[in-house]
Amino acid sequence: LDDIRAKSPDYPEAFKQHYRDQGLWSDQTFGALLKTQAERFAADPALIEGETRLSYRALDARVDRLCAGLQRSGLKKGDRVVVQLGNRASFVVTTFALFRLGLLPVFALPAHRAKEITHFCTASNARALITMADRVSGQPRFDFRTLAREVKAACPALEQVYIDGAPEEFNALESLSCDAPLIEDWPVVGADDLAFFQLSGGTTGLSKLIPRRHQDYLYSVIGSLAPCGFDERTTYLVALPGAHNFPMSSPGFLGVIAAGGCMVMAPEPSPTTCFELIEREGVTHTALVPPLAMLWLDAAPHTQRDLSSLSVLQVGGSKMNSEAAKRVGPILGCTLQQVFGMAEGLVNYTRLDDDEDVILYTQGRPISALDEVRIVDDHGQPVAPGTPGNLQTRGPYTIRGYFDNPDVNAKSFTEDGFYCTGDVVAQTPAGYLIVGGREKDQINRGGEKISPEEVENLILAHPDVFDTAVVAMPDDFLGERPCAFVIPRKGATAPDTPTLVDFLKTRGLATFKLPDQVRTIDAFPHTGVGKISKKALRQALKDTYFSA
Ligand code: J2J
């Protein structure tokens, strides 16, 4: 455990003291928070999934039953547990049980496949994997036990696998819960302890692990409540995958618990499923990525469902087009909130009572007055006010480094502890940020982040490929999609799109990372220093896009 802490860069002592003195950080932990709320909101609804309705007390009791089982499983405080579950009660119960015992979840998405899950298990040296039999909803169905088999074979340290649903040769998550009393002399979990690992979108190949502690993450959740209008009357629809930082903490389902509200689990985010849940449960808040918001906007005028309870629609993860933003109020009859956040920390919100121009054209301002924002040019010098530049940030819930990755940390963090976000932004005089683009090599596919380098490395393994570059091509719906430029080997023909996609699928890559298009090219354009010019490739795609 000491080793895990040592590999998770921490805030300098003076900053910790400052955040505590300013009343931002407290001694509270997530496990204790749920206990307090269970006493306070006892019989009030906390979680709804289909026909299952859990009060605060019932949710807390389920968490304790799972804790009792986990305590007897041989896992110890500080052990890493990779969690890949759908939007179900079991996900929330598992999350809080692990938090309560100081077991450290590594939050994977349902979209991740064998390659990614193996990487999370290896990088975190996980002892357990908690996953599901298949998805309750969503097409196509996928058997996660097959994935678990592959991962287990590749990760010798992975001793235990639990399945939500029919376990086959593994253990059933459901039967892990037990009525035995909690073991009293379990090590205490403190606010300064690590709580879990989030995943970075990834720019340099594989996703990096983001260590989060109770005190900083809890502050980001609690500090989000007022800007987002969360209170005990809030009914929040978990429409995006709950393991993502946005629906988890901005304020997300953790914010629901902190506010004493109720969460409704959506098995998938389609308008059909979600509109029905909004009507049935009187949903007041939800969070979407821009392409989903556009689907909802197109479907809403034709629905028979009553959406009038919805008061706030949060949109973030990628930039929302201002034309779509303008339609939210008139069509859905609710307030739009733009959210520009990152699993590494900094989260910006437009405020619910901001002027329309601010809500439509900016991506919000930071949660906290103690969030420090620096906008610099390529030489690290501050740009003139209002000019776009590279966003660097430091603050009470922005990490000081990735887990166990000194090389990347040296590049992604400045000497004085600012995180280099890779985003290009301009700041308005009132402190609002407008996202203008990206300096990092990443593709944002409607909120899903793709590291071109990770995909390129897999494409290079194809026998007919000599070299490749994966770049973003513009797309009306998703904003960006990945396109792979491929130079074939001498005498070979480059694989076409279906061939290459099939090849990548057999490597166990998440579907959202698969290139939508493969283009053959003879040679790459180069920059002055001889590197492949992705800028020129992107421009070529833009030119064909706008001339089409
Ligand atoms: C443009 N780009 C955006 C926005 C994120 C709340 C909301 C989102 C995330 C998230 C999150 C954007 N406009 N409104 O963690 O708590 C891009 C930026 C950013 C990266 C972070 C949250 N909102 N982005 O998206 O870790 O490039 O977090 O650096 O997945 O998404 O991605 P991620």
Side-chain angles (χ1 to χ4, degrees):
L1 180 53
D2 286 345
D3 180 48
I4 298 299
R5 270 189 81 94
K7 288 176 177 166
S8 303
D10 201 355
Y11 300 79
E13 205 45 57
F15 282 85
K16 291 184 162 191
Q17 196 56 49
H18 187 51
Y19 298 145
R20 279 191 213 107
D21 291 346
Q22 294 297 308
L24 306 187
W25 286 9
S26 73
D27 294 334
Q28 185 74 286
T29 59
F30 284 100
L33 170 73
L34 177 62
K35 193 58 81 192
T36 312
Q37 300 299 66
E39 280 155 25
R40 189 158 156 226
F41 295 101
D44 293 349
L47 186 152
I48 297 170
E49 180 214 324
E51 300 311 313
T52 306
R53 287 166 185 270
L54 299 179
S55 66
Y56 270 81
R57 229 190 260 125
L59 174 61
D60 182 60
R62 280 207 189 188
V63 169
D64 272 345
R65 291 184 69 235
L66 183 53
C67 283
L70 284 165
Q71 286 181 324
R72 288 163 176 83
S73 69
L75 294 171
K76 298 270 173 295
K77 183 186 173 195
D79 283 345
R80 276 76 60 212
V81 179
V82 174
V83 175
Q84 186 184 34
L85 292 170
N87 285 356
R88 304 194 58 187
S90 55
F91 169 64
V92 179
V93 171
T94 300
T95 298
F96 274 100
L98 296 171
F99 283 171
R100 195 166 268 175
L101 295 179
L103 297 170
L104 306 177
V106 180
F107 288 116
L109 299 171
H112 287 133
R113 292 295 172 261
K115 178 162 184 300
E116 287 102 2
I117 303 292
T118 301
H119 167 61
F120 305 149
C121 289
T122 311
S124 70
N125 202 19
R127 283 186 70 198
L129 167 66
I130 301 182
T131 185
M132 49 199 156
D134 60 7
R135 288 191 84 167
V136 174
S137 187
Q139 293 294 330
R141 283 188 106 72
F142 177 79
D143 190 337
F144 289 83
R145 292 162 302 204
T146 320
L147 190 159
R149 251 163 239 139
E150 245 179 271
V151 173
K152 190 143 195 304
C155 304
L158 192 67
E159 296 160 16
Q160 309 181 18
V161 177
Y162 298 95
I163 305 284
D164 183 17
E168 298 191 341
E169 77 270 34
F170 302 112
N171 308 303
L173 177 61
E174 214 183 324
S175 48
L176 180 57
S177 292
C178 74
D179 286 320
L182 286 169
I183 297 171
E184 297 283 335
D185 66 351
W186 189 265
V188 175
V189 178
D192 192 36
D193 279 338
L194 289 170
F196 65 93
F197 294 95
Q198 263 291 358
L199 303 170
S200 77
T203 46
T204 48
L206 304 172
S207 277
K208 293 161 301 256
L209 301 184
I210 298 176
R212 303 294 307 242
R213 292 172 171 78
H214 288 268
Q215 55 204 6
D216 65 87
Y217 206 65
L218 197 50
Y219 168 69
S220 78
V221 170
I222 290 174
S224 294
L225 299 180
C228 303
F230 267 45
D231 61 25
E232 69 274 10
R233 291 160 304 180
T234 297
T235 301
Y236 174 79
L237 184 71
V238 189
L240 294 173
H244 187 269
N245 199 56
F246 184 12
M248 180 175 285
S249 68
S250 300
F253 76 86
L254 294 177
V256 167
I257 298 300
C262 178
M263 69 185 91
V264 179
M265 311 308 283
E268 46 90 22
S270 74
T272 318
T273 300
C274 291
F275 289 180
E276 185 188 341
L277 289 171
I278 292 172
E279 178 181 79
R280 197 179 82 183
E281 308 299 347
V283 168
T284 58
H285 291 66
T286 192
L288 296 176
V289 290
L292 282 172
M294 290 196 273
L295 277 184
W296 283 33
L297 287 170
D298 288 345
H302 313 290
T303 186
Q304 304 298 312
R305 303 286 178 189
D306 176 5
L307 306 179
S308 61
S309 59
L310 194 65
S311 75
V312 178
L313 176 65
Q314 301 182 292
V315 181
S318 66
K319 189 163 168 170
M320 190 183 207
N321 160 312
S322 58
E323 289 310 309
K326 280 181 200 159
R327 294 165 62 208
V328 170
I331 293 183
L332 292 169
C334 65
T335 304
L336 168 68
Q337 178 170 55
Q338 295 216 39
V339 189
F340 163 42
M342 52 205 75
E344 285 84 355
L346 185 71
V347 179
N348 303 275
Y349 299 108
T350 56
R351 302 311 198 250
L352 302 180
D353 57 357
D354 275 337
D355 287 345
E356 205 187 345
D357 276 0
V358 171
I359 291 180
L360 295 179
Y361 299 108
T362 82
Q363 280 64 58
R365 64 177 161 87
I367 294 176
S368 173
L370 272 68
D371 278 315
E372 299 171 73
V373 160
R374 204 155 72 181
I375 304 175
V376 301
D377 63 20
D378 291 342
H379 309 289
Q381 295 307 309
V383 297
T387 320
N390 304 323
L391 172 65
Q392 300 183 343
T393 184
R394 181 170 82 173
Y397 58 95
T398 296
I399 58 159
R400 295 305 188 112
Y402 294 107
F403 176 68
D404 194 18
N405 212 332
D407 294 344
V408 171
N409 287 342
K411 291 192 201 107
S412 299
F413 294 83
T414 63
E415 263 170 34
D416 54 353
F418 279 73
Y419 166 55
C420 306
T421 64
D423 293 311
V424 174
V425 306
Q427 194 167 30
T428 70
Y432 285 76
L433 302 179
I434 299 172
V435 182
R438 235 178 3 253
E439 164 252 351
K440 58 188 165 193
D441 189 19
Q442 186 178 77
I443 299 170
N444 191 331
R445 190 179 188 278
E448 292 180 306
K449 316 304 183 310
I450 303 166
S451 156
E453 191 182 319
E454 180 183 12
V455 185
E456 286 159 4
N457 286 338
L458 291 177
I459 296 177
L460 285 174
H462 191 284
D464 295 334
V465 172
F466 172 69
D467 203 358
T468 182
V470 174
V471 296
M473 63 183 176
D475 183 78
D476 282 342
F477 180 57
L478 292 171
E480 300 174 6
R481 286 178 193 266
C483 171
F485 285 93
V486 170
I487 303 179
R489 268 188 202 288
K490 255 206 180 84
T493 322
D496 59 7
T497 309
T499 312
L500 192 63
V501 163
D502 279 348
F503 174 79
L504 292 173
K505 272 192 191 156
T506 62
R507 309 258 141 175
L509 197 65
T511 312
F512 69 83
K513 297 179 185 171
L514 299 173
D516 287 276
Q517 236 187 64
V518 178
R519 293 196 181 194
T520 310
I521 195 168
D522 296 332
F524 290 129
H526 282 91
T527 63
V529 290
K531 286 201 331 190
I532 294 177
S533 170
K534 292 206 166 175
K535 208 168 154 192
L537 290 172
R538 276 196 296 270
Q539 193 55 48
L541 288 171
K542 255 188 207 152
D543 293 344
T544 49
Y545 176 77
F546 288 113
S547 64

